[in-house]
Amino acid sequence: NEDIRDLFANPKDPKLPEGGKHEIRHNGEFGTTVTGANVVPLNSPGQVSQLLKLASKNRSVGATNMNERSSRSHSVFTLRIEGKRAGTGQTMMGVLNLIDLAGSERLDSSGSKGDRLKETQAINKSLSCLSDVITALATKSNHVPY
């Protein structure tokens, strides 16, 4: 349940990076990246929309008593924007992270059993951990738990 999947990859041939799985890496030049993830150059808002539809189609979903099409995963879409100022040729860059979190569900109401129960517990735990990180950042704590 804790595997990282590239939602832009062909599900039948995901082409995993060396080592057999994707990993999260942090570096100063590119910020946070995922090893072996597809990077897709885009030139229009329509292309961004098409790519988001592909990712949505490849995302893990399942039915529970609370939701017939429940997202069973978190999703992060990073959009790196680059532009040139007319006249000066100055290049400007920005990064926009779109994050869609899997929904939290009450275990007793979801009707989840077996693997779906474990999945629901993992989702709820990760959302609770995220809450701890946000609280630590908001209160300027000396320790941020990530």
Side-chain angles (χ1 to χ4, degrees), residues 92-109:
M92 294 174 281
M93 294 175 28
V95 176
L96 175 66
N97 289 297
L98 303 174
I99 301 168
D100 185 8
L101 301 174
S104 174
E105 296 180 345
R106 293 192 178 283
L107 293 177
D108 57 342
S109 301

Side-chain angles (χ1 to χ4, degrees), residues 62-130:
T64 70
N65 286 349
M66 296 179 71
N67 189 346
E68 75 177 41
R69 186 171 159 74
S70 177
S71 172
R72 309 312 297 164
S73 61
H74 305 311
S75 174
V76 178
F77 179 80
T78 300
L79 183 62
R80 298 183 194 280
I81 304 166
E82 184 176 313
K84 283 196 175 188
R85 176 173 263 157
T88 67
Q90 178 186 16
T91 300
M92 294 174 281
M93 294 175 28
V95 176
L96 175 66
N97 289 297
L98 303 174
I99 301 168
D100 185 8
L101 301 174
S104 174
E105 296 180 345
R106 293 192 178 283
L107 293 177
D108 57 342
S109 301
S110 71
S112 298
K113 294 184 181 10
D115 287 343
R116 183 73 70 222
L117 175 63
K118 289 179 189 173
E119 188 178 64
T120 300
Q121 290 170 325
I123 289 168
N124 289 348
K125 181 180 177 186
S126 68
L127 292 171
S128 179
C129 290
L130 178 61

